[in-house]
Amino acid sequence: MESFNGRSFDVTVIKEQRRKKIIFILSAAACILACVAIFYFGFHWFLNRQYSSYQVEYSVYVKNGSSMDYVDYKDGIIRYGRDGVTAVDRKGNALWSGSYEMANPRADTCESSAVIADIGGKSLYIHKGEGTGTELTVDCPIVQACISRQGVVAVLLEEASSNTIALYNPFDKSEKLLAEIPTNVEDGYPVSLDLSPDGSSVVASYLGVMTGAVQSRAVFYNFTDVGKNANCLVGAHNYNDALISEVRFLDDATVCLFSEKGFYLWGNMKQPSAIGKAEFTEEIQSAFSSDRYIGVILKKDEESSKMKLYNETGKEIMETAVENTYDSVRIRGDEILLNSHNHCTVYRTNGVKKLDVALKNKISYFFPCEKMNRYFFVQDSKIKVIKLK
């Protein structure tokens, strides 16, 4: 028979083992919580870190820089002028190039595709992905051109009696012209158009006079089977008290119409419907958009402005003061870039000011790089890649 003394010893050992186990579990939990807290606050600090200086990582000399224009392109930029175009990566290496002769070139990009159109002329240069570019000649003067990710191009052409919206696949040797839509005189004069990233829809804004008053009309075209039975027309909407000056697709199914009063969001390009809007009493100084955001900078008084940011449904998600004057504003990912010739500022989409720095040398363009904390400074004779520090 087991003695009571033995049982007491066993109970004591079990209690001690249980106590050590509890201490181990609590210690492990405390360590895990401490690591989570350190990671959270470290990550939060990293995301909201502010910079006030930079260093130049790369500097590339360019000829005739003052006569060139630039646009954002993938992990680099595109520089183009009257006699050619070159895509440059963040190390200054040429990704691709093409030559042409144009009097008034203007560029548009979508992912890895780009089009250079001779506004007022009849020629276009189109590049898609990593392949070689191609030229396209049209029959009438070009008013505007935009491109999809597949290289399909929508071109607004000016004819003698009316304008025409033409859709081309310049890489299809058998049938380049995909669709041709004469604009209706009743709609008015076309002001702006944009092509959806997937190339399936075009939205155009028209300016006309109805019953003695100037009004805007947004017209929606779709090139899938849905729109083929009605000359590609799938919807229209009149704005009697707002002038739609610019049309911009956010994604394949959402388009933003910008006016002097605010912006208007439409979705479902096969059966277009209004999904959101924002109107303002203050003067709009600038407007910008990406695939996720719409932003405006509003004038508060003679010395200050404010920036508002909205999501793709028109819900306001950020407001912050803008202290410096600027010449341009653009958005990439979760960053908003503003610059003048001698100052540049970067805001995060949460309203935190990431960078605010006065520049010693004049810049013409300020672009982001895909690599974190790297940006392009474009000067008259140099392209610089800078790293924040």
Side-chain angles (χ1 to χ4, degrees):
M1 179 181 234
E2 185 179 5
S3 69
F4 288 109
N5 289 335
R7 290 183 180 181
S8 177
F9 174 78
D10 291 343
V11 170
T12 302
V13 172
I14 292 172
K15 286 183 177 181
E16 180 64 19
Q17 290 176 343
R18 184 177 298 172
R19 185 183 70 84
K20 291 181 178 180
K21 186 175 182 180
I22 292 173
I23 292 174
F24 174 79
I25 293 173
L26 293 176
S27 299
C31 289
I32 292 172
L33 290 175
C35 291
V36 170
I38 292 171
F39 176 80
Y40 173 79
F41 288 110
F43 186 67
H44 187 267
W45 171 85
F46 179 76
L47 285 181
N48 295 282
R49 183 181 176 186
Q50 294 177 292
Y51 301 83
S52 59
S53 62
Y54 62 88
Q55 66 184 33
V56 177
E57 282 198 332
Y58 300 97
S59 182
V60 180
Y61 173 78
V62 292
K63 294 182 179 180
N64 304 319
S66 60
S67 64
M68 307 296 285
D69 288 309
Y70 295 80
V71 292
D72 192 7
Y73 177 75
K74 297 176 62 179
D75 188 23
I77 54 178
I78 285 177
R79 61 187 301 264
Y80 67 97
R82 295 184 175 185
D83 57 0
V85 56
T86 303
V88 181
D89 68 14
R90 63 180 179 83
K91 293 185 178 181
N93 301 316
L95 299 173
W96 52 263
S97 62
S99 60
Y100 50 72
E101 292 294 333
M102 296 184 185
N104 188 22
R106 289 292 180 271
D108 183 58
T109 64
C110 183
E111 296 185 9
S112 61
S113 296
V115 58
I116 317 296
D118 190 9
I119 305 302
K122 299 180 181 181
S123 63
L124 305 100
Y125 179 87
I126 304 98
H127 194 280
K128 180 178 68 172
E130 302 300 327
T132 57
T134 186
E135 291 190 68
L136 177 67
T137 302
V138 294
D139 297 329
C140 301
I142 299 167
V143 178
Q144 185 183 346
C146 41
I147 194 166
S148 72
R149 69 173 70 97
Q150 304 98 327
V152 172
V153 180
V155 186
L156 179 61
L157 301 173
E158 184 176 20
E159 298 190 16
S161 58
S162 66
N163 289 5
T164 298
I165 298 173
L167 197 71
Y168 297 95
N169 181 356
F171 299 95
D172 188 342
K173 296 182 180 180
S174 60
E175 188 177 7
K176 295 182 184 295
L177 181 62
L178 303 178
E180 192 173 28
I181 307 167
T183 60
N184 296 322
V185 177
E186 295 80 8
D187 290 329
Y189 179 80
V191 175
S192 176
L193 86 161
D194 198 17
L195 175 66
S196 63
D198 64 358
S200 67
S201 302
V202 163
V203 178
S205 67
Y206 295 82
L207 184 64
V209 178
M210 299 294 291
T211 63
V214 178
Q215 72 169 18
S216 281
R217 180 174 173 84
V219 182
F220 302 84
Y221 304 96
N222 187 270
F223 303 105
T224 66
D225 293 337
V226 173
K228 288 183 177 179
N229 295 328
N231 199 25
C232 302
L233 180 66
V234 292
H237 183 80
N238 292 336
Y239 289 92
N240 298 321
D241 56 352
L243 301 180
I244 307 300
S245 57
E246 187 173 359
V247 178
R248 185 74 60 83
F249 270 94
L250 307 185
D251 55 35
D252 294 339
T254 310
V255 69
C256 185
L257 313 177
F258 291 97
S259 79
E260 84 287 3
K261 291 186 175 182
F263 63 84
Y264 310 91
L265 291 166
W266 288 74
N268 186 9
M269 292 298 101
K270 293 181 179 180
Q271 293 181 322
S273 59
I275 58 176
K277 68 176 183 177
E279 295 181 326
F280 313 101
T281 57
E282 303 97 327
E283 176 188 346
I284 300 175
Q285 294 180 311
S286 295
F288 52 93
S289 65
S290 68
D291 58 345
R292 291 188 293 161
Y293 302 109
I294 307 101
V296 293
I297 296 180
L298 306 173
K299 184 177 181 180
K300 294 175 62 177
D301 51 49
E302 294 301 323
E303 298 181 353
S304 62
S305 304
K306 63 181 178 181
M307 178 165 55
K308 288 177 174 283
L309 195 67
Y310 298 80
N311 65 13
E312 65 273 15
T313 64
K315 180 182 178 181
E316 183 179 332
I317 58 175
M318 184 271 282
E319 178 180 333
T320 189
V322 175
E323 300 168 355
N324 299 304
T325 58
Y326 58 91
D327 297 321
S328 66
V329 55
R330 55 180 50 86
I331 183 170
R332 164 83 80 85
D334 291 319
E335 294 185 351
I336 304 161
L337 289 74
L338 298 87
N339 77 279
S340 63
H341 290 317
N342 55 11
H343 203 107
C344 63
T345 306
V346 178
Y347 290 91
R348 295 182 176 91
T349 52
N350 62 3
V352 173
K353 187 184 293 184
K354 179 179 180 179
L355 174 69
D356 188 28
V357 61
L359 305 174
K360 296 180 180 179
N361 299 314
K362 175 182 174 181
I363 66 169
S364 302
Y365 296 88
F366 179 41
F367 294 110
C369 287
E370 287 291 342
K371 191 173 182 181
M372 187 171 293
N373 294 333
R374 270 75 169 181
Y375 300 88
F376 286 99
F377 279 172
V378 179
Q379 300 172 328
D380 286 347
S381 60
K382 290 182 180 180
I383 298 175
K384 294 180 179 178
V385 175
I386 65 159
K387 177 185 177 182
L388 304 188
K389 64 176 185 178

